[in-house]
Amino acid sequence: MKTTSDLGDLRGKRVLVRSDLNVPLDGSTITDDGRIRASAPTIKGLADAGARVIVCAHLGRPKGAPESKYSLAPVAKRLAEVLSTEVVFADDTVGDDAKAKAAALEDGQVLLLENLRFNAGETAKSDEERAGFAGELASLADVFVSDGFGVVHRKQASVYDVARLLPHATGDLVSTEVDVLRRLTKDPERPYAVVLGGAKVSDKLGVIGNLLGTADRLLIGGGMVFTFLAAQGHEVGKSLLEADQIDTVKGYLDRAEKEGVEIVLPVDVVAADAFSADAAHEVVAADAIPADRMGLDIGPESSALFADKLADCRTVFWNGPMGAFEMEPYAAGTKALAEALVDITSRGALTVVGGGDSAAAVRQLGFADSDFGHISTGGGASLEYLEGKELPGLTVLEEGDA
Ligand SMILES: Nc1ncnc2c1ncn2[C@@H]1O[C@H](COP(=O)(O)OP(=O)(O)O)[C@@H](O)[C@H]1O
Ligand SMILES: O=C(OP(=O)(O)O)[C@H](O)COP(=O)(O)O
């Protein structure tokens, strides 16, 4: 894969950079700017080289049309602060404003385009539709730099198709992330555990099949728990549930038993009567969630069990908070898990925390990035890399220029 230094003299060239700036927001306040800080060095490096830098990114999951709550405007402001330079912001992605601002860029200036996912072509299933949008993006620039590690598992216009239209290179963030994850796939020191939680349940249930072949232990927390509990025949009340995946999960449980992989499930959960910080809540046994309650965190016995299962691990990958940590009553499980990881890191284990919300969680709960082996900007992307899947955003970079 080519790096940015293989692109030659970039002075005066328009460089389109795909970054992952999908940060958590509370209204228009960014609650964790980790992905902005992680993306800044590549952008700065290109601007310092005299390039006219056009950054494109997504925020959240809008449905192919503008929605003000998903605007990247607050991100442009923060990016300017992190870069200590002006960041011009375009009100659209490939429309008149973007075209005019891209054309007016001077050497070393940075432009951020509005949310890519305001355009249906970005995430379209149809190759033609995506290629059409990618063509419009590509027409803004001379070269493309792929630096959004958190999205390399997505076959989307700005990740995949645009690289087939422009001379391209891999950004430093993507290179660094892949280097670290490669260490986890090439003969990890054992015991090797993968901890899964979070809310993107349907995405992440799919990776378990392949992880059963590589990890020694799988610890399941967060919103992932309830499809497992349901597969064991338990009532999960109003908790997050992927009902159509219950049979798949039953298959995982059978396979894990046959292959000697330990799947560790919570034994207790914090069950609330609404998805809210001031909802009535109590700790209940995992197999006795009342029908009118939802599980929003793992309970204290589960936290102790998980810490015990991690204590002798030499390699751990963790993606997905153990609970709805943004609300104080449901943050304890995530905090306890982070503490267990910090402990084994200090004893020489390799620990990797991946995912936008997971990284935000550990920082919000008071941990430093240096408490862990590596904090990855990609959750789903890391998981798919670890299960050995081909990631479209990386494969296309290996194909070479069009
Ligand atoms: N039991 C649960 N029920 C509902 N949401 C949950 C639960 N546990 C965790 N979450 C939510 O999961 C979200 C993060 O999920 P996800 O996007 O999959 O993680 P990441 O960004 O780290 O990959 C958090 O916003 C958190 O509130
Ligand atoms: O937040 C992200 O992924 P993650 O939650 O798996 O870390 C990326 O920005 C990808 O977003 P997407 O899962 O909406 O494609």
Side-chain angles (χ1 to χ4, degrees), residues 234-239 271-273 282 284 287-295:
H234 304 306
E235 166 73 64
V236 298
K238 294 191 289 177
S239 311
D273 66 1
E282 61 184 333
V284 299
D287 59 3
I289 302 174
D292 59 347
R293 299 250 164 161
M294 60 181 77

Side-chain angles (χ1 to χ4, degrees), residues 198-200 204 222-223 226 240 275 295-296 319-321 323-324 326 354-358:
K200 291 181 181 171
K204 290 174 191 173
F226 308 102
L240 266 187
F275 190 79
L296 291 183
N319 168 247
E326 297 91 339
D357 289 301
S358 308

